[in-house]
Amino acid sequence: MQHFKQLTSRIWYQTPVSETDRPILAVVRGEKHQLMIDAGNSSAHAALFLEEIKKHNLGSPDLLALTHWHWDHIFGMKHLGLPSIATKQTIERMKEMQPYAWTDGALQERMDKGIEIPFCADAIKLEFGSTRDIEVVLPTIGFEGQLDLDLGGVHCQLIEVENDHSPGSLLVYIPEERVVFLGDAMYADIFSPKWNYTVERTTRLLTTLDRLDADYYIWSHGEAMPKSEFEEEINMLRRAIRVTEATGGRLKDMRTLYAEETGRPLTEDETETLIYFANGTK
């Protein structure tokens, strides 16, 4: 069940749905413009978000920012028809997707080649059923580095970040509201044969996040995480990086060193994170 929530006086968002891989969609409301963050995984998803905005008398978004190119964040663009912004890397990946067919056979063929993964193929089938009217619409504006938007009384910084999940992703930082939309940048690379984090890319991502002072951090497939909780996640990643570097990525030694540092057994989340970093050193 999706819910529509108010985070701050200017930010509203719709919660994710794991079964069909619907990510969080959000709107930042300025006095002159309204920025929608991500387009949704289908026309139905995008339409539901617009209905919620209308129901709450919040006007209409007139700009769209895409955090990255994965299907669940872009397939709603066709329904929205908004001027849209993405990094140049994201646009290049979307161009590659434009010729794709989305039948069961085409999805299976891409899975056989390692281009597609079963999780995404299954979610597409669930979201669209047998009639898949899918069109990859390219963004209006491409940028590299950072793009600053003045929405009127509130600013959004679109910041390109290194990460393993989808290189060329962007974060949306709203300094006046002290909120960061992370997209999927904090998640591991799930498209490689073995899911992984790399020390180099994760370090660069954390360096960027260090610059942003926020009270809430929003993961696209999670919830709005308060700063105290987010700092725990960051500390876990930093410790995982340290033990990966100290042991050369040998998983058994990584586990031992991590447990020594914390003085307790590893949690399930920590164990999984160390496995991903070990995979990333191979």
Side-chain angles (χ1 to χ4, degrees):
M1 182 70 180
Q2 286 188 281
H3 301 284
F4 194 68
K5 296 183 175 183
Q6 184 172 11
L7 182 64
T8 70
S9 61
R10 292 189 180 273
I11 298 171
W12 296 72
Y13 71 96
Q14 190 178 53
T15 56
V17 176
S18 54
E19 292 79 13
T20 53
D21 207 25
R22 286 185 171 185
I24 277 177
L25 300 182
V27 65
V28 184
R29 303 183 67 238
E31 285 144 25
K32 295 176 183 172
H33 297 283
Q34 297 202 37
L35 177 72
M36 182 170 168
I37 299 171
D38 281 328
N41 76 347
S42 64
S43 291
H45 186 199
L48 181 62
F49 183 70
L50 294 183
E51 276 171 35
E52 290 287 2
I53 287 177
K54 191 176 178 183
K55 198 190 297 180
H56 288 80
N57 298 311
L58 298 173
S60 299
D62 58 355
L63 286 170
L64 170 68
L66 299 178
T67 57
H68 61 297
W69 62 272
H70 293 165
W71 76 277
D72 50 313
H73 297 257
I74 68 167
F75 280 3
M77 282 179 74
K78 179 182 172 182
H79 179 80
L80 294 166
L82 292 173
S84 50
I85 307 163
T87 69
K88 288 183 178 178
Q89 277 194 72
T90 289
I91 294 172
E92 286 310 308
R93 294 307 297 264
M94 289 174 70
K95 282 179 183 172
E96 289 171 22
M97 292 172 76
Q98 280 191 308
Y100 287 179
W102 300 95
T103 60
D104 287 2
L107 286 166
Q108 186 59 54
E109 192 178 322
R110 289 200 293 278
M111 279 192 283
D112 293 342
K113 290 178 179 174
I115 298 168
E116 195 60 83
I117 58 172
F119 172 73
C120 291
D122 291 343
I124 287 167
K125 290 173 189 176
L126 271 176
E127 177 68 31
F128 286 90
S130 55
T131 335
R132 294 176 205 148
D133 184 18
I134 295 168
E135 181 188 350
V136 176
V137 178
L138 293 180
T140 323
I141 298 161
F143 75 97
E144 291 174 318
Q146 183 171 322
L147 186 66
D148 296 345
L149 303 177
D150 181 352
L151 305 182
V154 65
H155 297 78
C156 293
Q157 296 175 8
L158 310 185
I159 305 165
E160 186 172 14
V161 283
E162 281 280 2
N163 69 102
D164 289 301
H165 185 81
S166 177
S169 294
L170 62 83
L171 307 176
V172 183
Y173 176 46
I174 306 106
E176 292 94 343
E177 304 299 294
R178 298 178 60 78
V179 171
V180 179
F181 283 88
L182 299 161
D184 287 358
M186 296 292 290
Y187 299 123
D189 170 10
I190 64 170
F191 288 88
S192 294
K194 287 186 175 181
W195 291 16
N196 70 82
Y197 283 120
T198 60
V199 165
E200 184 186 4
R201 279 191 168 138
T202 307
T203 301
R204 287 184 185 175
L205 173 60
L206 296 183
T207 300
T208 301
L209 286 166
D210 280 347
R211 298 195 275 114
L212 312 179
D213 193 17
D215 295 329
Y216 286 99
Y217 297 80
I218 291 97
W219 307 59
S220 279
H221 296 277
E223 262 290 351
M225 190 179 277
K227 185 172 188 170
S228 56
E229 252 180 79
F230 187 69
E231 282 177 345
E232 287 176 24
E233 292 284 337
I234 295 293
N235 290 337
M236 177 183 68
L237 287 170
R238 289 196 195 286
R239 185 174 283 120
I241 287 168
R242 279 202 306 275
V243 302
T244 304
E245 289 179 321
T247 61
R250 294 183 300 277
L251 185 57
K252 188 181 175 185
D253 297 340
M254 288 164 68
R255 283 175 167 155
T256 303
L257 187 54
Y258 196 102
E260 282 174 6
E261 277 203 19
T262 56
R264 55 165 174 76
L266 274 65
T267 65
E268 195 177 321
D269 196 18
E270 288 167 335
T271 302
E272 183 180 73
T273 301
L274 290 187
I275 291 168
Y276 292 167
F277 272 106
N279 290 343
T281 60
K282 302 292 186 288

